[in-house]
């Protein structure tokens, strides 16, 4: 798939899961339409995305606070 992240053992891009959810479709619908993807795989992808967002949020918060302190002369 040219480097596109896919669920292991499938040719289903992980992005497809996020597209389904973004358009209001339930996880069950995704799993029905892509039976080669296991529920555990989909849940693991969502958990990984959540963890990455949490990490990114902490980093951005640090940068904002550091910028604020610098602007305040601290």
């Amino acid at each position: 798939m040219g480097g596109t992240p896919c669920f292991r053992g499938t040719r289903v891009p992980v992005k497809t899961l996020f597209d389904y959810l973004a358009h209001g479709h339930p996880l069950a619908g995704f799993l029905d339409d892509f039976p080669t993807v296991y529920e555990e795989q989909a849940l693991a992808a969502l958990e990984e995305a959540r963890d990455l967002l949490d990490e990114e949020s902490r980093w951005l918060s640090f940068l904002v606070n550091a910028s604020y302190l610098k602007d305040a002369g601290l």
Side-chain angles (χ1 to χ4, degrees), residues 43-56:
L43 292 174
L46 293 171
E47 289 174 14
E48 181 68 21
R50 181 199 60 215
D51 292 347
L52 288 171
L53 287 171
D54 285 347
E55 185 176 310
E56 181 73 17

Side-chain angles (χ1 to χ4, degrees), residues 20-43:
Y20 257 67
L21 298 175
H23 288 94
H25 300 289
L27 178 59
F30 172 80
L31 296 171
D32 287 343
D33 289 345
F34 297 95
T36 58
V37 177
Y38 296 110
E39 182 177 13
E40 294 80 15
Q41 291 175 298
L43 292 174

Side-chain angles (χ1 to χ4, degrees), residues 9-29:
T10 76
R11 293 182 56 81
V12 179
V14 174
K15 182 182 181 306
T16 305
L17 169 61
F18 294 103
D19 290 343
Y20 257 67
L21 298 175
H23 288 94
H25 300 289
L27 178 59

